[in-house]
Amino acid sequence: TRKWTNLKPANSPLACQMLVWASLCYDPVNDEALLFGGGMAANPWGGACTWLYDCETNGWRALEQPREKQPPLRGCVQTAYDAKNQCIVLFGGNAQDRYLADTWVYDVKTREWSERKPELSPPPVASCGMAYLAKDGLILMVGAGHDSTWTYDTAGNRWTRCRGSLGLD
């Protein structure tokens, strides 16, 4: 019907009363949405760790993986679902005192994050865009600034800088 509806879930992430700059990504394997990060939250740590929204039950729950094994909190971060490898990729973000350049992968089967340490990575970035390139089986990341378009091969743990310009600089 092309009309928004407030589903009014019975519970919600503790941080979401005032959460801004978080990332939300759909996991089609589990029919869930993964919410991560953000800032200005009304909790002691000021952000949201990983929360999962179950589309069938209309409910939120915190990820059971210990917080110290999840990505450090940040805002202005993007995530994208990699259908070939059945995982969600996260890169960079704003830690409020610096931009980040770390790569994390959420395995939708095990529901666990793991940090990746590729040999080459994009420079620190916040406010980027990410999308999955189904034909190539790669994640595309476009950030603000020069040389800021990269692809990520999840299985190979390899970032590759894209040559040329998108005309956004």
Side-chain angles (χ1 to χ4, degrees):
T1 62
R2 298 182 187 218
K3 179 181 172 186
W4 286 99
T5 302
N6 184 349
L7 297 176
K8 299 179 184 176
N11 61 336
S12 61
L14 298 175
C16 283
Q17 293 175 353
M18 297 190 51
L19 188 67
V20 297
W21 309 306
S23 182
L24 189 65
C25 187
Y26 180 64
D27 162 8
V29 172
N30 297 301
D31 193 25
E32 296 176 333
L34 178 142
L35 177 126
F36 179 82
M40 296 179 62
N43 62 36
W45 54 91
C49 294
T50 308
W51 282 81
L52 303 169
Y53 173 77
D54 185 313
C55 298
E56 186 176 327
T57 65
N58 188 30
W60 287 96
R61 72 184 183 290
L63 180 66
E64 292 182 14
Q65 185 180 23
R67 192 179 320 156
E68 62 273 6
K69 293 186 177 187
Q70 297 181 39
L73 288 176
R74 73 218 39 219
C76 302
V77 64
Q78 293 297 314
T79 52
Y81 178 72
D82 176 338
K84 178 180 175 184
N85 296 289
Q86 294 187 321
C87 61
I88 294 172
V89 176
L90 175 151
F91 179 80
N94 184 340
Q96 298 193 12
D97 63 344
R98 70 195 180 289
Y99 289 167
L100 301 169
D102 52 347
T103 303
W104 288 79
V105 172
Y106 176 81
D107 184 321
V108 300
K109 290 180 243 153
T110 64
R111 292 188 171 112
E112 290 186 349
W113 286 104
S114 61
E115 184 175 11
R116 300 289 180 90
K117 298 199 181 260
E119 191 174 310
L120 178 68
S121 284
V125 66
S127 302
C128 65
M130 291 180 76
Y132 179 65
L133 304 174
K135 181 180 174 186
D136 301 308
L138 301 170
I139 297 290
L140 174 70
M141 192 270 305
V142 179
H146 184 66
D147 294 334
S148 59
T149 303
W150 295 70
T151 57
Y152 182 66
D153 173 1
T154 307
N157 189 31
R158 185 174 35 260
W159 282 103
T160 303
R161 185 168 66 91
C162 299
R163 304 278 182 209
S165 173
L166 295 176
L168 303 174
D169 295 336

